[in-house]
C-alpha cells in the first residue's frame, strides 16, 4: 500500500467502456489508477501495485468478483485492502455473497457518478487515517523498544505463565542469557533456591490481582555466580477493551544491587569489629583505673606510676583507633579530599623519616634514608605523608631494638628491562606494574617478618598478626594506606621473610610520566 497522500485504486471490470467511465470519474479526484479486465489480471495487478482500494465488478468471465475478493482476503500482503463491489441494487443475494467474501462496501450499477465519488472519497479517507494510526502505533512501538534497549535496568517481559517473551540488552548483561537462550523459557531460569522458596502463590495472587510486587532476591547468573537484585514485577494488562482488565503477562525489572548489598554487609562487619576493638582497650583502662583506686594505699610510688603509664598507653591505643576509624569512615563515605598538588616524593620521605628518627633512636635502631632522584608526583600531601609515616612507623614497631631500617626512593620504567632484574627482584611485586614511569619508595627492615599465611591478609581491615611482643596497633594502618595509594592510582606491595625482615613498597604514577 502506498504511504503517500494519494490513494491507489485498482479498477477491475471486463468491459472497456465501464473502465473508461471510472477512469474519467476518478481522475478528477486525483487518485493513482490501475486497471484490470479479468479476475486473474486483477490479482496480478494488485500484487504489483498494492492498491489501497479495489473497485470490483462481480460479473466477469472466468474468475468472478467474489472469488477475486476471497483470494485478496487470503493474501498476506493484500488482506487489508479495501474492496468495493459493484453490483446491481436489487441483487440481494449477490450482496450477501459479497459480504461473505469479505467486501467492505457496495456501489450500484449502473454507476451513479456522485455516489461513486462520495463513497470512494469516504472510504479512502478512512483508510488514510487507519494507515496513519498504524504508522503512529509502529513509531510508538519502535520508540518503546529503543527506550527498553537503552535502559540500564534489566527488563524482562513474560506471558501469564512466566514464559519469557522479551529481554533487553541490560537483562542479557545482568543474567548472562541472550534473547535466543532465554525466550521461550520460564522465568525460573535465573532463580536460586532462595527465591524459589518464596511463597509463590501469595506473590502470584497479588500480581494477578493487578498489584505490583517489589522485593529483593538473590539470582544466579548463567555462569553460576550469584547476584543481588531489586525486583519489580508488574502485571501486564490486555489492551483489548473486551477482556475486562485481565492480566496477560508480567514485566519484570531487575536492578543489580550486589555492590550495595556487599557494602551493607561489610559495613555491618566493620561496625561489629569496631565495637569489639574499642571495647578491648576501654575495659583494660577501666580495670587499671579500678586497681589504682582500690589498691592506692597499698601500692608504692613506682607501682602507681606503672599503672598510670599503662592507662596512658591504652588511652593512646584508643585514640589511634578512633582516628583510624574516622579516617576509614571518611574514605567509605567518599568524604576524603581529592585535592592534588605537585609533590616531590623523595623530599616527603626525608621529612617523614626525620620526624620518626627519635622513635627509632629510642629503640637504638639505625634509620637510613637513601633517595637520589627527584620524584615528581601529583597527589595529596597529607594522605601520602600518612602512608609514608605508617610504613616507617610499622618498620620501627615490628623491628627489635638495634635493628636496621632503610627508606629508599627510585624511578621505575615498567616493564623493566633485563638489566633491571636484580634491582627489580628486591622491590616487591614491581614486575606486575602496568607500563609507564613510576615513582617508587620502599621501607626495608630487619624486623620480625611476616609468615606467608598472614602476608595476603595484612592489608585487610583489623587484620593483625598475633606476636609475643604484644605490639600496639589497630590493624587499620595498612588497609588505609592501600586505599589512599589506590586513590592515587598507585600500587602497594610487600615481601617478607619471617625472622629476617620485611620490605613494603609503594609505586605512584610519575607526574607527566605518561602511562605508555
Ligand atoms: P597495626 O600495625 O596497627 O597492627 P597495620 O594495618 O599497619 O596495623 O598492619 C597490619 C599487620 O601487619 C600488623 O599487625 C603486623 O602484624 C603486620 N605488619 C605490618 N608491618 C609490618 C612490618 N614492617 N613487619 C612485620 N609485620 C608487619
Amino acid at each position: 500500500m502506498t504511504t503517500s497522500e494519494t490513494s491507489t485504486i485498482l479498477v477491475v471490470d471486463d468491459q472497456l467502456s465501464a473502465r473508461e467511465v471510472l477512469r474519467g470519474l476518478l481522475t478528477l479526484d486525483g487518485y493513482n489508477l490501475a486497471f484490470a479486465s479479468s479476475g486473474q489480471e486483477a490479482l496480478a495487478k494488485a500484487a504489483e501495485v498494492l492498491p489501497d482500494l479495489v473497485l470490483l465488478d462481480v460479473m466477469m468471465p472466468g474468475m468472478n468478483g467474489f472469488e477475486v475478493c476471497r483470494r485478496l482476503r487470503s493474501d498476506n500482503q493484500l488482506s487489508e485492502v479495501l474492496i468495493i463491489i459493484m453490483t446491481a441494487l436489487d441483487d440481494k443475494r449477490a450482496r450477501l455473497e459479497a459480504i461473505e467474501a469479505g467486501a467492505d462496501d457496495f456501489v450500484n450499477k449502473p454507476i451513479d457518478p456522485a455516489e461513486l465519488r462520495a463513497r470512494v472519497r469516504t472510504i479512502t479517507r478512512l483508510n488514510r487515517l487507519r494507515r496513519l494510526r498504524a504508522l503512529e502505533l509502529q513509531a510508538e512501538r519502535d520508540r518503546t523498544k529503543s527506550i527498553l534497549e537503552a535502559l540500564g535496568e534489566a527488563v524482562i517481559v513474560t506471558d501469564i505463565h512466566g514464559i519469557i517473551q522479551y529481554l533487553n540488552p541490560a537483562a542479557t548483561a545482568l543474567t548472562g542469557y541472550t534473547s535466543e537462550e532465554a525466550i521461550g523459557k520460564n522465568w525460573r531460569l535465573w532463580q536460586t533456591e532462595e527465591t524459589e522458596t518464596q511463597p509463590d502463590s501469595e506473590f502470584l495472587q497479588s500480581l494477578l490481582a493487578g498489584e505490583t510486587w517489589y522485593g529483593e532476591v538473590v539470582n544466579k547468573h548463567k555462569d553460576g555466580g550469584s547476584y543481588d537484585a531489586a525486583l519489580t514485577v508488574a502485571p501486564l494488562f490486555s489492551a483489548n477493551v473486551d477482556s475486562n482488565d485481565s492480566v496477560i503477562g508480567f514485566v519484570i525489572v531487575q536492578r543489580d544491587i550486589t555492590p550495595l548489598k556487599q557494602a551493607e554487609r561489610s559495613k555491618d562487619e566493620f561496625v561489629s569489629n569496631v565495637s569489639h576493638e574499642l571495647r578491648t582497650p576501654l575495659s583494660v583502662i577501666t580495670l587499671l583505673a579500678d586497681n589504682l583506686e582500690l589498691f592506692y594505699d597499698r601500692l608504692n610510688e613506682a607501682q602507681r606510676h606503672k599503672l598510670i603509664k599503662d592507662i596512658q598507653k591504652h588511652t593512646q591505643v584508643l585514640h589511634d583507633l578512633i582516628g583510624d576509624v574516622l579516617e576509614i569512615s571518611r574514605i567509605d563515605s567518599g568524604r576524603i579530599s581529592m585535592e592534588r598538588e605537585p609533590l616531590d616524593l623523595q623530599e616527603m620521605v626525608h621529612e617523614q623519616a626525620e620526624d620518626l628518627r627519635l622513635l627509632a633512636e629510642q629503640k637504638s635502631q639505625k634509620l637510613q634514608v637513601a633517595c637520589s632522584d627527584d620524584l615528581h608526583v601529583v597527589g595529596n600531601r597529607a594522605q601520602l605523608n600518612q602512608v609514608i609515616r605508617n610504613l616507617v612507623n610499622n618498620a620501627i614497631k615490628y623491628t627489635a631494638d638495634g635493628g636496621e631500617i632503610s627508606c629508599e626512593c627510585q624511578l621505575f620504567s615498567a616493564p623493566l628491562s633485563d638489566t633491571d632484574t636484580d634491582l627489580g627482584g628486591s622491590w616487591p611485586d614491581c614486575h606486575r606494574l602496568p607500563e609507564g614511569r613510576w615513582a617508587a619508595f620502599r621501607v626495608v627492615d630487619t624486623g620480625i617478618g611476616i609468615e606467608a599465611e598472614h602476608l595476603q591478609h595484612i592489608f585487610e581491615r583489623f587484620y593483625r598478626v598475633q606476636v609475643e611482643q604484644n605490639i600496639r596497633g589497630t590493624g587499620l594502618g595498612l588497609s588505609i594506606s592501600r586505599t589512599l595509594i589506590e586513590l592515587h592510582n598507585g600500587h602497594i606491595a610487600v615481601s617478607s621473610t619471617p625472622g629476617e625482615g620485611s620490605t613494603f613498597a609503594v609505586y605512584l604514577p610519575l607526574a607527566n610520566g605518561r602511562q605508555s
Side-chain angles (χ1 to χ4, degrees):
M1 272 168 247
T2 48
T3 51
S4 72
E5 279 296 292
T6 341
S7 300
T8 299
I9 300 174
L10 173 61
V11 176
V12 187
D13 202 308
D14 59 328
Q15 289 178 3
L16 179 66
S17 58
R19 294 200 299 272
E20 285 310 311
V21 169
L22 289 167
R23 181 199 300 277
L25 280 174
L26 296 170
T27 309
L28 287 178
D29 292 328
Y31 299 109
N32 295 322
L33 298 175
F35 295 90
S37 57
S38 70
Q40 283 298 351
E41 198 190 342
L43 293 176
K45 256 276 151 27
E48 182 193 325
V49 303
L50 299 175
D52 299 284
L53 168 67
V54 181
L55 274 173
L56 192 55
D57 184 31
V58 174
M59 304 300 285
M60 291 184 292
M63 191 188 298
N64 68 15
F66 304 131
E67 184 56 23
V68 174
C69 197
R70 270 191 289 274
R71 293 217 189 176
L72 287 175
R73 284 284 174 256
S74 60
D75 183 320
N76 263 349
Q77 266 197 305
L78 293 160
S79 60
E80 297 279 298
V81 67
L82 294 166
I83 303 171
I84 297 181
I85 298 261
M86 300 181 284
T87 73
L89 182 60
D90 52 2
D91 196 346
K92 287 233 172 74
R93 275 193 47 216
R95 292 203 162 192
L96 203 65
E97 190 172 351
I99 288 173
E100 277 166 2
D104 294 292
D105 204 356
F106 309 94
V107 285
N108 298 320
K109 261 191 148 181
I111 297 291
D112 172 344
E115 184 198 356
L116 178 89
R117 286 176 62 195
R119 287 264 159 115
V120 169
R121 206 178 306 129
T122 313
I123 207 159
T124 52
R125 197 179 60 227
L126 284 176
N127 189 43
R128 252 207 311 278
L129 286 177
R130 196 178 67 179
R131 226 164 44 203
L132 219 61
R133 187 108 39 85
L135 279 175
E136 278 168 11
L137 214 66
Q138 187 57 43
E140 183 63 39
R141 272 197 204 118
D142 289 349
R143 195 161 54 226
T144 309
K145 187 152 182 247
S146 308
I147 292 171
L148 285 175
E149 306 269 299
L151 217 58
E153 287 179 347
V155 180
I156 298 120
V157 179
T158 77
D159 69 7
I160 187 90
H161 307 292
I163 303 299
I164 299 163
Q165 295 178 322
Y166 168 83
L167 73 165
N168 70 350
T172 296
L174 184 61
T175 64
Y177 292 95
T178 62
S179 296
E180 291 77 40
E181 290 164 334
I183 290 174
K185 304 248 172 68
N186 194 285
W187 69 16
R188 285 178 199 281
L189 194 58
W190 38 69
Q191 281 185 352
T192 58
E193 277 152 57
E194 271 169 81
T195 23
E196 261 165 353
T197 55
Q198 276 169 1
D200 249 10
S201 51
E202 189 195 317
F203 162 74
L204 272 178
Q205 286 314 307
S206 65
L207 281 176
L208 290 172
E211 285 164 25
T212 299
W213 185 87
Y214 303 94
E216 287 179 5
V217 294
V218 180
N219 279 351
K220 64 173 183 291
H221 190 270
K222 187 187 157 197
D223 69 14
S226 64
Y227 61 92
D228 293 284
L231 215 61
T232 307
V233 187
L236 203 65
F237 296 101
S238 164
N240 188 344
V241 275
D242 301 330
S243 65
N244 229 348
D245 279 358
S246 65
V247 177
I248 55 162
F250 306 104
V251 181
I252 305 159
V253 179
Q254 284 193 34
R255 194 159 49 86
D256 186 8
I257 51 166
T258 315
L260 208 75
K261 284 275 158 192
Q262 192 57 46
E264 247 172 54
R265 281 191 279 267
S266 51
K267 198 177 97 205
D268 290 349
E269 196 185 326
F270 180 63
V271 168
S272 106
N273 274 339
V274 167
S275 354
H276 176 79
E277 296 298 323
L278 285 174
R279 240 178 244 132
T280 314
L282 210 55
S283 47
V284 176
I285 293 168
T286 312
L287 189 78
L288 293 173
D290 285 352
N291 281 352
L292 188 61
E293 188 188 31
L294 216 61
F295 305 114
Y296 194 86
D297 293 335
R298 273 190 264 161
L299 296 171
N300 63 31
E301 196 66 17
Q303 286 170 321
R304 286 181 201 149
H305 195 67
K306 166 90 174 48
L307 277 176
I308 292 169
K309 276 278 162 232
D310 281 352
I311 291 175
Q312 281 172 339
K313 194 174 95 187
H314 285 96
T315 310
Q316 187 60 43
V317 170
L318 209 52
H319 184 269
D320 292 349
L321 184 60
I322 291 170
D324 283 352
V325 167
L326 287 179
E327 178 79 14
I328 285 198
S329 116
R330 268 197 298 274
I331 291 174
D332 284 356
S333 63
R335 278 181 291 125
I336 186 148
S337 164
M338 296 302 273
E339 253 174 57
R340 299 283 185 262
E341 59 179 309
L343 299 166
D344 183 354
L345 187 65
Q346 72 135 334
E347 196 183 294
M348 293 167 73
V349 171
H350 268 289
E351 264 174 34
Q352 296 307 314
E354 283 321 307
D355 275 2
L356 291 167
R357 186 171 294 284
L358 199 65
L359 213 59
E361 279 169 1
Q362 281 173 356
K363 292 183 81 177
S364 315
Q365 290 167 343
K366 199 165 137 199
L367 176 62
Q368 283 178 315
V369 184
C371 294
S372 47
D373 310 320
D374 287 350
L375 293 175
H376 297 288
V377 296
V378 174
N380 184 289
R381 184 182 291 276
Q383 291 166 11
L384 293 182
N385 273 339
Q386 187 178 353
V387 174
I388 300 167
R389 218 171 28 244
N390 178 243
L391 295 184
V392 179
N393 196 23
N394 275 356
I396 297 171
K397 267 200 316 191
Y398 298 104
T399 299
D401 289 4
E404 279 178 34
I405 290 140
S406 90
C407 307
E408 294 155 37
C409 297
Q410 171 144 1
L411 187 132
F412 271 108
S413 283
L416 299 175
S417 66
D418 288 345
T419 49
D420 290 330
T421 317
D422 280 348
L423 168 149
S426 50
W427 283 77
D429 240 4
C430 65
H431 285 281
R432 293 210 205 144
L433 281 182
E435 240 175 70
R437 280 148 60 77
W438 299 88
F441 144 67
R442 70 174 170 179
V443 185
V444 187
D445 66 45
T446 57
I448 58 173
I450 305 158
E451 301 277 350
E453 56 175 304
H454 297 300
L455 212 50
Q456 52 182 327
H457 296 295
I458 56 171
F459 292 98
E460 293 168 12
R461 287 177 183 184
F462 294 112
Y463 196 90
R464 304 202 67 213
V465 184
Q466 293 305 322
V467 288
E468 286 167 22
Q469 295 90 330
N470 209 357
I471 298 163
R472 209 183 78 202
T474 63
L476 292 174
L478 285 179
S479 94
I480 293 175
S481 293
R482 184 169 68 175
T483 309
L484 294 178
I485 291 301
E486 284 169 357
L487 283 173
H488 282 79
N489 300 318
H491 300 265
I492 187 164
V494 57
S495 65
S496 185
T497 311
E500 287 185 19
S502 314
T503 302
F504 284 82
V506 165
Y507 305 93
L508 292 166
L510 205 69
N512 303 324
R514 266 179 286 144
Q515 303 295 300
S516 60

